[in-house]
Amino acid sequence: MLEKGLVQIYTGDGKGKTTAAFGAALRAAGQGNKVLVYQFLKPATLDIGERFALQLGAVRIRVETLDMPWDMSGSLEDEKAVTKIQAAISDALKRITQTAEKRFYDVLILDEIVFCLSEGLAKFEDVKDLIDKRDSAVEIILTGRGATPELIELADLVTEMKNIKHPFDKGQQARRGIEY
Ligand code: ATP
Ligand code: MG
């Protein structure tokens, strides 16, 4: 549906990256585009409001997860977990690249892939390959903290969510329906 797809990045330490990406998904789907949201680091067992909403089926946005065990507060230090997820992420990116070559979706959202890249869980070459090989009409949105200069170089649009204030700083727990 798009004439030309661009590459967007939502990064930074403030709230709003994933929710902005889902907003973009909603808008694109409402204008008749086929959308895939692929969630890295968010296993199927995680309680995720936006995923539940889309699984109700009223809006046609496909959500898939790299369904690997991952704990944000410990897995990065677990060598075995890291090695396992690196392989799974690389495979997932190759599969997503195939769908992008065929333009199976008009808009592809890779949630948390920027964080995966900044922590060495994903290979830059795999993401570059996806961007280079995709059908030229496919829009790609990458989210997550820590966008590197080489990734920014590849993108057409980069937004940084800057943390000014967040209730977590005062010890407030994540709220169901707002943070997840
Ligand atoms: P959201 O999903 O709300 O759009 P995000 O994608 O920008 O947030 P992530 O970096 O993916 O944020 O963070 C994961 C979780 O941490 C989310 O539940 C998010 O609301 C919350 N979060 C975001 N920014 C901050 C912050 N500065 N301090 C504490 N928690 C945050
Ligand atoms: Mg996020």
Side-chain angles (χ1 to χ4, degrees):
M1 297 282 293
L2 296 164
E3 247 168 57
K4 180 170 167 34
L6 302 182
V7 177
Q8 307 186 28
I9 298 176
Y10 306 153
T11 192
D13 63 357
K15 177 177 169 69
K17 300 174 288 295
T18 297
T19 44
F22 273 85
L26 198 59
R27 179 176 287 167
Q31 298 287 11
N33 293 282
K34 284 184 79 179
V35 181
L36 171 68
V37 182
Y38 197 97
Q39 298 194 298
F40 294 84
L41 312 185
K42 289 177 181 167
T45 48
L46 264 194
D47 190 6
I48 305 254
E50 58 271 31
R51 195 151 72 201
F52 297 150
L54 295 178
Q55 281 164 351
L56 295 176
V59 180
R60 288 173 56 86
I61 296 172
R62 186 167 171 76
V63 190
E64 290 184 17
T65 172
L66 177 85
D67 193 16
M68 297 279 294
W70 189 260
D71 172 7
M72 272 297 190
S73 60
S75 295
L76 271 178
E77 277 73 52
D78 178 348
E79 231 175 89
K80 266 194 192 156
V82 167
T83 310
K84 261 191 165 174
I85 207 161
Q86 281 171 331
I89 288 175
S90 188
D91 284 352
L93 285 169
K94 289 188 175 109
R95 281 198 307 278
I96 293 167
T97 301
Q98 287 172 1
T99 71
E101 282 174 309
K102 294 185 197 132
R103 194 170 18 128
F104 198 78
Y105 296 99
D106 302 296
V107 179
L108 285 173
I109 296 175
L110 276 56
D111 189 31
E112 288 298 355
I113 194 70
V114 179
F115 176 80
C116 293
L117 282 165
S118 72
E119 296 295 340
L121 302 176
K123 284 190 281 190
F124 179 73
E125 296 71 47
D126 285 341
V127 175
K128 186 171 185 316
D129 225 39
L130 163 64
I131 290 171
D132 290 345
K133 289 186 177 165
R134 80 192 197 278
D135 180 285
S136 65
V138 175
E139 185 96 359
I140 299 184
I141 300 179
L142 312 170
T143 86
R145 295 170 185 221
T148 57
E150 61 177 354
L151 186 65
I152 289 171
E153 180 71 32
L154 289 183
D156 303 289
L157 181 160
V158 180
T159 296
E160 183 178 15
M161 274 62 174
K162 183 174 171 349
N163 183 33
I164 306 286
K165 231 184 190 187
H166 197 293
F168 283 16
D169 305 336
K170 284 192 182 163
Q172 159 90 57
Q173 297 283 309
R175 291 169 304 157
R176 189 174 197 198
I178 301 294
E179 266 77 47
Y180 62 94

